[in-house]
Amino acid sequence: MDRTDRTPGREAAVALIADVEAALAEATSPVPAPVPTAYRDETPVPAVGTALPVVQPGRAPMSQRATDASALMLAAGAGTLMAGTGAGAALWALGGVDPLVLALAVGAPVAVIAALSRLVRRAGQAASEAAPVTHHHHYSGPVDARQEHHTTAPVTRGFFVRTTMRTGR
C-alpha cells in the first residue's frame, strides 16, 4: 500500500519550497566577475597627426572679435524681431481706430516734447544774452599786453575722412 499523501495542496507546497530553496541557493552563490562591455585605449594621442583637418558642425571657426560681432548681430536681430512683432500687434489691435485720432494720439507727445525742448533752448539763449560774461584780469608784475588772433579752418579730404585743423596767421 502506497503511503504517500496525495492532497492537492501538499504538492503545491512542496513545489513552492523547492523554488524558494533554489532562489536562496542562487542568491547566496558567489557572483561571477563582471564582463567588460567597453575598452579604453590608454595609449597617448599624438599632438600633431597626419590626418587632414575636417570641418566641424556648428559655427565656422573665426576670431574672437568676429565671434563677438556675430553674437552682437544675432542679439540685435532678435531685439528688432521683438520690437517689430510688438509694433505689428499694436497696429493690428488699433486697426479699427479712426486714422486721424491715431495720428493725433501718436503725434501729440512728439510735438509736445519738441516744443518743450525748443522753449528750453530759447530760454537758455535769452539768459546768456541778457547777462554777458564779464572778464576781470588782475595782474601782478610786468605784463605783456600783446594780443594775437589766429583763425583756424578745418580741412576735410578723402574717402575715409580725417579732419585736420590748419591755422592761418
Side-chain angles (χ1 to χ4, degrees):
M1 182 156 175
D2 188 18
R3 298 191 130 234
T4 323
D5 189 9
R6 303 242 178 221
T7 28
R10 179 155 177 83
E11 290 176 3
V14 170
L16 179 64
I17 291 172
D19 289 341
V20 168
E21 288 176 352
L24 283 174
E26 184 181 323
T28 57
S29 67
V31 178
V35 178
T37 58
Y39 173 73
R40 179 185 298 262
D41 187 8
E42 297 292 337
T43 58
V45 179
V48 178
T50 58
L52 296 174
V54 178
V55 176
Q56 300 297 316
R59 288 190 181 178
M62 51 187 154
S63 68
Q64 184 63 42
R65 184 176 175 191
T67 303
D68 293 343
S70 174
L72 184 66
M73 286 185 263
L74 288 172
T80 304
L81 177 69
M82 288 185 276
T85 303
L91 289 175
W92 177 77
L94 295 173
V97 178
D98 182 25
L100 178 63
V101 173
L102 183 61
L104 289 175
V106 171
V110 175
V112 168
I113 291 171
L116 287 176
S117 67
R118 189 163 178 135
L119 178 68
V120 168
R121 188 180 313 125
R122 283 204 177 172
Q125 288 175 352
S128 66
E129 290 172 2
V133 179
T134 58
H135 295 277
H136 297 283
H137 301 279
H138 302 281
Y139 301 103
S140 61
V143 176
D144 185 7
R146 286 183 293 172
Q147 295 183 0
E148 295 181 7
H149 296 281
H150 301 283
T151 58
T152 58
V155 177
T156 305
R157 291 189 183 145
F159 185 73
F160 293 104
V161 178
R162 182 180 68 194
T163 302
T164 56
M165 299 301 284
R166 304 257 171 125
T167 59
R169 293 188 176 196

